[in-house]
Amino acid sequence: IKKDSYEVPAIFKMLAEKGDIAEEMMYNTFNMGIGMMLVVDKADAAKAVEILKANGENAFIIGETVASNEGVIIE
């Protein structure tokens, strides 16, 4: 997940600060406001975002799936 690919809602920033919650825990517990995700072929990602935005959704490319034993990688 690329942290700078979308705006994290203020409520999650406040929860992390006031609760002294580590960033990794915030992503694992609250998804930091990401909500629903779609996984599409990399070649189709820009078109998928275009279609979603045309239909009134806030859509962003937030990362990619890769083979790994590390779990979610936050960049």
Side-chain angles (χ1 to χ4, degrees), residues 3-70:
K3 298 188 293 192
D4 63 350
S5 62
Y6 73 105
E7 181 66 32
V8 173
I11 187 70
F12 297 107
K13 294 175 184 177
M14 187 272 302
L15 283 171
E17 182 181 316
K18 299 289 184 188
D20 193 26
I21 304 170
E23 179 180 64
E24 183 178 3
M25 183 62 75
M26 288 295 297
Y27 274 93
N28 285 331
T29 304
F30 299 110
N31 289 342
M32 298 296 277
I34 291 172
M36 185 176 78
M37 294 188 329
L38 298 175
V39 178
V40 299
D41 189 284
K42 192 173 188 173
D44 299 325
K47 184 65 174 175
V49 168
E50 180 184 322
I51 291 167
L52 289 163
K53 286 184 175 185
N55 285 279
E57 299 296 332
N58 279 335
F60 309 94
I61 297 172
I62 64 166
E64 61 184 330
T65 55
V66 296
S68 171
N69 293 325
E70 295 181 52

